[in-house]
């Protein structure tokens, strides 16, 4: 029988966990003939009764696994821990504990990855019902910026709610970076994705764990993890300074030709100033280019990811030498 593991990051979700469990178990039971499903809860350092409830569920049902963090490490870390455990299953899913991600579409997602040849079936948010206007505006602006400056395209409406084949999860957990921005990682690893329209439900109970500060940090992580473009700003400023330097020189020379008695030194001083600024920024930009390379190398991402092959393509040092 094929196996499925559903990863559920939980941070202070005691109010909603039992509801989540009941609703998700209904879906899991309906799939029982074809799939053996585990629920992998990751308690991300909750300070309420989340862990207590998880232990209780686990004692009732051995398909419930839990991993409890020593403190709050954030949803990204929780998803990673869940995936690292769950990668032994054939299909791995991720969904929020608050029932905003409707478990009802899990069978449809499974059909796409198991029967229709897709590697990933992911939810695509259809509208932003129940989200504050200001938050939507910030979020839209963020995705506009990141898609302008980064080579990895990130769909604004793409959600973490998804089911993936084992190979996809292997690729995701093979990315060793510490600062993780899953929306970017999901897109970076590629594969054949089936998008499924999904409208987020209202949170069943409890409240959102994302403060404006947490979201701002998340946005900055996203941009810094997937682009080195900000490091290139120096070059833009260098060009501006070069133009200013040249401009003030031309101005001074022409002034001198037209009115030979003109003796002001300010334009020449400006020329020199802008020229020195240009040189400094140029050097800063060059350092930035090296830094960008160091940064890219330091992330240690795989150089490629194979989706299918009929041979062994991975060269391993450890086997023969
Ligand atoms: N979450 C987590 N760690 C955190 C913040 C959130 O594991 O530091 C979990 C949370 O329990 C929920 C999911 O991530 O299952 C999404 O969080 P939330 O519903 O608060 O976010 P929103 O839906 O408002 O974007
Ligand atoms: Mg939520």
């Amino acid at each position: 029988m094929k196996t499925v593991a559903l990863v559920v990051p939980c941070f202070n979700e005691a109010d909603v966990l039992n509801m989540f469990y009941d609703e998700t178990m209904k879906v899991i039971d309906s799939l029982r003939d074809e799939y053996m499903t585990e629920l992998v809860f990751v308690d991300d350092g909750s300070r309420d009764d989340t862990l207590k409830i998880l232990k209780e569920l686990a004692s009732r049902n051995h398909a419930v696994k839990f991993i409890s963090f020593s403190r709050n490490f954030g949803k990204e870390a929780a998803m990673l821990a869940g995936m690292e455990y769950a990668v032994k299953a054939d299909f791995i899913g991720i969904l929020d504990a608050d029932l905003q991600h409707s478990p009802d579409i899990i069978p449809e997602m499974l059909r796409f990855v198991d029967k229709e040849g897709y590697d990933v079936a992911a939810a695509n948010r259809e509208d932003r019902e129940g989200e504050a206007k200001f938050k939507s505006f910030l979020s839209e602006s963020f995705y506009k910026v990141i898609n302008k400056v980064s080579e990895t395209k990130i769909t604004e409406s793409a959600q973490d709610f998804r089911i993936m084949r084992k190979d996809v999860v292997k690729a995701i957990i093979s990315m060793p970076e510490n600062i993780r921005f899953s929306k970017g990682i999901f897109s970076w690893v590629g594969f054949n994705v089936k998008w499924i329209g999904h409208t987020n439900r209202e949170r069943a109970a409890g409240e959102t764990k994302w403060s404006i500060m947490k979201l701002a940090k998340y946005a900055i992580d996203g941009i810094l993890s997937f682009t080195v473009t900000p490091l290139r700003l120096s070059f833009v400023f260098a060009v501006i300074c070069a133009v200013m330097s040249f401009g003030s020189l031309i101005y001074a020379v022409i002034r001198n030709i037209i009115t030979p008695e003109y003796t002001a030194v300010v334009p020449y001083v400006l020329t020199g100033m802008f020229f020195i600024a240009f040189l400094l920024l140029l050097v800063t930009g060059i350092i930035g280019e090296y830094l960008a390379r160091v940064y890219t190398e330091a992330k240690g991402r795989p150089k490629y990811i194979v989706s299918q092959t009929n041979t062994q393509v991975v060269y391993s040092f450890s086997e023969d030498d």
Side-chain angles (χ1 to χ4, degrees), residues 13 96-101 200 203 207-210:
E13 300 289 9
D96 285 358
D98 57 7
L99 285 173
Q100 287 194 288
H101 296 161
N200 263 8
R203 194 176 230 288
E207 52 193 40
T208 178
K209 306 300 178 292
W210 294 87

